[in-house]
Amino acid sequence: TIAFGSIMISLSIFIRYMAGFFQARFNKSHNSCVRTILMSLKCCLRCAENCIKFISRNSYIITVLYGTPFCQSARMAFSAIATNIAQVATITFLGDIIVRFGQLFITFTSAFVAWTIFDGSPAFAVGGDRELSSHVFPTMITATLAWYTGREILAVYDVCIDTILISYCQDRKLVKLRHAHHVEVVAHENLKRFVNKHKITDDKFSRRANVNVIA
């Protein structure tokens, strides 16, 4: 399942790079129609790549929950997202904001600590054992490493958010399917209040989204 999902993402990236290669070859051409088509194709492929990555990540979550293969997990994940599109969009937006602010906080904090150490330690001063002619370059390296390290660490937090959301959507779907048995949603009350606040109110859209039933 992991290998198949990786192949799908790799193929989308490869096709996008091939489109970029042909775009670079035709940039010298005076045919504006060809350049416009290639630019539009590259943008569409970029959007498709991001969609595949998003669906693949949620497909892995479904696979962990049910042990289903990739294609079935992708269908179930897409159905869960389509059925709860407002909740998914809201939580994804808030999660991205938290991750970005977290990255900035980690980066600026690490850079500030590095600058303080370089500026206050006698070893890095003029005539010290580790004399530095300038504190700017080492601080920039520290900030760059902190940015990428923070991104990888907070990616785990982002996956945790998606896992909780998908699990909640599946919980609600199973409750609807087993309503005759009076099964209650087992999610926390705070999570239920937040999701219900952003639930879909368009009945027509809801009926279309509920066409695919997750068993």
Side-chain angles (χ1 to χ4, degrees), residues 1-2 4-5 59-60 62-64 66-77:
T1 300
I2 296 175
F4 186 78
S59 301
Y60 294 146
I62 295 292
T63 299
V64 172
Y66 296 102
T68 51
F70 180 82
C71 293
Q72 184 177 353
S73 299
R75 179 183 64 83
M76 295 171 67

Side-chain angles (χ1 to χ4, degrees), residues 39 47 64 72 89 174:
M39 179 64 71
C47 294
V64 172
Q72 184 177 353
L174 293 176

